[in-house]
Amino acid sequence: MIEFLDLKKVNNRFRKEMDEAVGRVLDSGWYLLGKESRAFEEEYKRFIGTNYCIGCANGLDALTLILRAWMEMGLLKVGDEVIVPANTYIASILAITENKLTPILVEPNPSTLQIDPDNIRRALTPSTKALMVVHLYGRCAWSEEIEEITNENRLLVIEDNAQAHGCKFGNRLTGSLGHAAAHSFYPGKNLGALGDGGAVTTNDPTLAETIRSLANYGSSQKYVFDYQGRNSRLDELQAAFLRIKLPHLVTDNERRKEIAKMYCDNIKHPDITFPSLHVNKDSHVWHLFPILSCRRDELQEYLATKGIKTLVHYPIPPHRQKCYKEWNDLSIPVTEMIHARELSLPISPVLSNEEATTVISAINSFPI
Ligand SMILES: *Cc1c(COP(=O)(O)O)cnc(C)c1O
């Protein structure tokens, strides 16, 4: 049996240090907003290359808090349009509608599956105030062209970096490219906790201060409330676990790249295509390894009979979900094509070459 992602194996590599971390937090008697979370924020902002990092409860909160802070700062108001890729995970869009902002769903480029600059231009209106860039699958979605569009139109740029910890654009990391970035430490992400966790990175001191307050009930001084805030904190245990895993992130990503290379070089089947790798190729950190097939469901079942677990990211596009009834009749064809054809193959730092080879042979033997 080849697991899609063997989290037990991923985390047991750090068993001894994690046991020690649990002891350290227990001994401290301090569970929230303490030494561990402060130290992680310092280490993570240094890694990403920004001046500020604010830990929070999860990736959705990180996205939501950034947009909310911009509203409190007067940079966004109810109804303003935020451009977002139509094929993203639902959380990107939930953060926008949660703040009563208007998501403008934009088609990705069918060969890279990343948001398409020409489609961004076409979607611009006088109400467009922000762009959410999603580094989907672990691949950088940013480009000089997108930077030009956002500068010309004075757009706020929020990066959804939930799937791309350690991904690069030139010599900068994703998460440091826009005005603010949201990170998720959900267990299955490239940098994953043993529970929920998230963070915001930014170079803007006012934004950082506003988010820190919003995430702590809207308070920067005990029992004094400046905003109608929420409770969204990264706890000490999760921060301690993340501090153990962060130094291994780059080598873990390198291992993902090796597996991705094996897949790219050796999977050969007339019914299967890969997203094009010409753009931002070396920086890709392969949170997922997506393939596209018109016979996706059949292929998934075939691989299951060979003991290989795969997942679909994602089976139903956001605009076809019940929670967004108002969009259900929209036709967004590239996005719909991706959701109909995408299949994610097993990839992780603990997948062995033998396992990868088994996956490759199984796919290549899928009857035509
Ligand atoms: C995982 C994910 C999120 C949400 O993160 P959580 O920590 O699960 O809330 C947001 N956006 C994308 C693209 C994700 O993959």
Side-chain angles (χ1 to χ4, degrees):
M1 175 66 72
I2 299 179
E3 294 293 336
F4 178 73
L5 170 60
D6 188 343
L7 279 177
K8 194 160 142 183
K9 202 165 174 186
V10 166
N11 289 318
N12 267 326
R13 296 178 298 163
F14 311 109
R15 182 59 181 252
K16 191 162 158 282
E17 291 145 282
M18 286 183 168
D19 282 341
E20 279 165 19
V22 172
R24 198 163 70 232
V25 172
L26 276 172
D27 285 340
S28 79
W30 195 271
Y31 314 111
L32 288 165
L33 304 182
K35 280 191 197 138
E36 298 290 340
S37 55
R38 287 292 181 266
F40 174 71
E41 288 174 347
E42 287 299 313
E43 288 155 15
Y44 195 63
K45 80 179 195 204
R46 211 174 308 137
F47 175 75
I48 295 291
T50 53
N51 292 338
Y52 303 94
C53 170
I54 306 100
C56 64
N58 55 61
L60 173 58
D61 276 9
L63 288 163
T64 307
L65 284 163
I66 293 168
L67 295 171
R68 172 73 192 279
W70 281 336
M71 296 185 84
E72 294 292 349
M73 290 162 68
L75 298 173
L76 289 177
K77 59 178 189 316
V78 169
D80 281 349
E81 293 176 3
V82 181
I83 292 177
V84 61
N87 61 318
T88 186
Y89 180 57
I90 197 86
S92 318
I93 299 170
L94 289 174
I96 300 172
T97 53
E98 164 86 20
N99 280 294
K100 300 194 161 45
L101 298 161
T102 308
I104 303 297
L105 305 179
V106 165
E107 284 271 52
N109 177 314
S111 69
T112 64
L113 315 188
Q114 300 290 8
I115 197 162
D116 187 274
D118 292 333
N119 293 336
I120 296 177
R121 277 189 210 281
R122 274 192 279 274
L124 293 168
T125 75
S127 302
T128 313
K129 292 287 145 48
L131 167 68
M132 187 184 291
V133 180
V134 184
H135 305 297
L136 203 63
Y137 306 129
R139 178 189 201 166
C140 180
W142 191 242
S143 64
E144 270 147 29
E145 195 179 352
I146 294 180
E147 186 158 13
E148 235 173 71
I149 299 171
T150 57
N151 287 342
E152 278 166 17
N153 298 279
R154 299 169 155 273
L155 301 182
L156 291 164
V157 177
I158 172 172
E159 296 175 76
D160 181 338
N161 200 46
Q163 300 191 357
H165 319 100
C167 172
K168 281 185 170 172
F169 177 72
N171 48 20
R172 289 180 293 162
L173 261 67
T174 59
S176 72
L177 307 173
H179 297 102
H183 309 258
S184 162
F185 307 120
Y186 174 81
K189 303 290 158 101
N190 288 30
L191 179 60
L194 307 191
D196 275 317
V200 172
T201 52
T202 182
N203 286 322
D204 179 345
T206 313
L207 180 70
E209 197 184 322
T210 310
I211 289 175
R212 204 175 276 293
S213 169
L214 281 170
N216 189 34
Y217 306 105
S219 166
S220 45
Q221 193 188 335
K222 203 165 188 186
Y223 302 131
V224 179
F225 303 95
D226 303 326
Y227 308 103
Q228 295 170 23
R230 58 206 285 148
N231 173 7
S232 183
R233 302 185 285 224
L234 177 66
D235 67 74
E236 289 289 285
L237 267 180
Q238 299 310 327
F241 297 144
L242 290 167
R243 292 184 66 201
I244 292 165
K245 292 179 78 177
L246 179 59
H248 301 274
L249 177 61
V250 170
T251 39
D252 277 2
N253 284 343
E254 287 305 318
R255 177 63 194 150
R256 287 173 183 272
K257 289 179 202 184
E258 283 172 17
I259 296 161
K261 185 167 181 347
M262 285 178 73
Y263 285 162
C264 290
D265 290 348
N266 297 297
I267 294 175
K268 293 193 170 65
H269 194 286
D271 292 337
I272 292 167
T273 58
F274 303 122
S276 147
L277 294 172
H278 301 306
V279 189
N280 295 331
K281 176 174 179 280
D282 297 328
S283 73
H284 202 321
V285 294
W286 300 102
H287 172 59
L288 297 171
F289 189 95
I291 60 173
L292 299 175
S293 173
C294 296
R295 298 164 61 206
R296 190 258 319 273
D297 295 343
E298 213 187 312
L299 175 61
Q300 185 171 32
E301 264 171 50
Y302 178 77
L303 293 175
T305 64
K306 304 242 161 197
I308 297 166
K309 290 195 186 165
T310 56
L311 290 176
V312 172
H313 294 94
Y314 301 90
I316 306 171
H319 70 282
R320 288 288 160 86
Q321 299 285 354
K322 190 174 158 201
C323 65
Y324 290 122
K325 281 195 291 294
E326 62 276 30
W327 301 332
N328 286 178
D329 294 330
L330 292 180
S331 161
I332 311 186
V334 176
T335 294
E336 285 156 26
M337 176 280 285
I338 294 167
H339 287 73
R341 297 185 189 169
E342 197 275 347
L343 188 68
S344 299
L345 303 183
I347 191 162
S348 87
V350 297
L351 194 82
S352 67
N353 283 354
E354 295 69 51
E355 288 172 315
T357 305
T358 306
V359 174
I360 293 162
S361 319
I363 293 179
N364 290 346
S365 73
F366 179 45
I368 294 168

